[in-house]
Amino acid sequence: MRNRSIVAVLLGAVFTIGCTASAEKSADTPEAAASAQASELAPQAASSTPAASNTVRQAPPAVAAKPRVAPAAATTSSASDAPRPAAPRKPRFRTVSAPVGTQLSLELTTPLSTETAQIESPVTARLRRPVVVDGLTVFPAGSTFHGTVTEVERPGRVRGRAHLAFRFTEVTISDQRDRISTDSVSFEGDATKSEDATKVGAGAGIGAVIGGIVGGGSGAAKGAALGGAAGAGAVLATRGRDVVLAAGSDVTTALSSPFDVRVEVQ
């Protein structure tokens, strides 16, 4: 009986040692390690989940962001009080017309003579006084007029005076040249009839004196006739006086057609 008890104790000890070895062997496997780790983390996860849920419930509601407003530009009292500069005045223009017959007082700048002038020889003159129409200046003083000789005739030996004529067709105002039309300006040479008669009479008197000394009364008559013929020959050999116009001579003419000009109104 006693032996059976000892055997039972031995068998129980062996069984216990075998179970302990088996448990230690199974704990060394990867599956057993993972299971143990999962069992350790489970309580921690369970304890953290309520906190997370509580955090979500306690979060305040989102508030819409207000749009930013740009700050107003800074102004200074000096800038607002400063007067604005006045806009420049636009020039106003008006067309003015100088009518037919407008007088032009000119001064020749080109010398002329029937001895040297030819048809279409250039002629220039300068305006002495301005031409004003309705209070506006059409031709300022100093305007230059351009023209040409239209007629020229030298004096004859027996009869006929010298003749010279010209007219103006353009005007220069402030470096701008425009077409115009003026009346013809003409000049006649001085008559020489009294001088011719004096020459003939002087020749006759001298001939009479010489004839009287040589042949008496009849000689004086013959001498007078011969002297008169000599005086007439002197007249035939001498031309009359040419027309001569020096630079600076006064010339007056008038417009033969209207002249329009655009002038600024003050």
Side-chain angles (χ1 to χ4, degrees):
M1 193 68 178
R2 184 178 177 181
N3 291 331
R4 290 181 179 180
S5 300
I6 296 171
V7 171
V9 171
L10 293 174
L11 290 174
V14 171
F15 178 78
T16 302
I17 295 172
C19 289
T20 303
S22 176
E24 292 178 355
K25 186 176 181 180
S26 62
D28 293 337
T29 62
E31 291 79 0
S35 176
Q37 185 177 3
S39 62
E40 293 176 358
L41 294 177
Q44 297 178 1
S47 61
S48 61
T49 302
S53 61
N54 292 337
T55 303
V56 173
R57 285 196 299 270
Q58 294 177 2
V63 180
K66 294 183 179 180
R68 296 182 61 187
V69 179
T75 57
T76 59
S77 58
S78 60
S80 60
D81 296 340
R84 294 182 179 179
R89 183 180 63 86
K90 294 183 179 180
R92 295 184 301 152
F93 293 90
R94 174 184 168 190
T95 300
V96 183
S97 178
V100 174
T102 299
Q103 295 294 306
L104 303 173
S105 178
L106 305 172
E107 174 188 357
L108 278 180
T109 56
T110 302
L112 294 173
S113 170
T114 53
E115 184 178 1
T116 57
Q118 297 179 354
I119 301 297
E120 296 186 355
S121 292
V123 182
T124 57
R126 183 170 48 248
L127 188 65
R128 287 185 178 275
R129 291 184 294 275
V131 175
V132 180
V133 177
D134 295 336
L136 300 175
T137 301
V138 179
F139 297 113
S143 300
T144 302
F145 287 76
H146 310 268
T148 57
V149 172
T150 56
E151 300 175 19
V152 58
E153 182 178 351
R154 295 208 64 190
R157 297 181 184 279
V158 178
R159 65 177 61 183
R161 300 181 182 181
H163 177 74
L164 179 67
F166 54 88
R167 61 183 302 179
F168 298 99
T169 57
E170 292 180 318
V171 61
T172 299
I173 303 174
S174 299
D175 297 330
Q176 180 176 343
R177 196 158 175 164
D178 297 307
R179 297 282 299 177
I180 63 166
S181 179
T182 69
D183 293 336
S184 179
V185 182
S186 60
F187 293 89
E188 297 286 341
D190 294 336
T192 59
K193 288 183 179 180
S194 59
E195 295 180 0
D196 294 344
T198 300
K199 290 179 181 179
V200 173
I206 293 173
V209 171
I210 295 174
I213 295 174
V214 175
S218 60
K222 292 179 182 179
L226 293 175
V235 170
L236 292 175
T238 305
R239 286 184 178 274
R241 292 180 179 177
D242 283 296
V243 174
V244 178
L245 300 174
S249 299
D250 292 333
V251 176
T252 301
T253 185
L255 292 178
S256 59
S257 63
F259 178 79
D260 297 333
V261 63
R262 193 165 178 258
V263 297
E264 182 177 355
V265 180
Q266 300 295 333

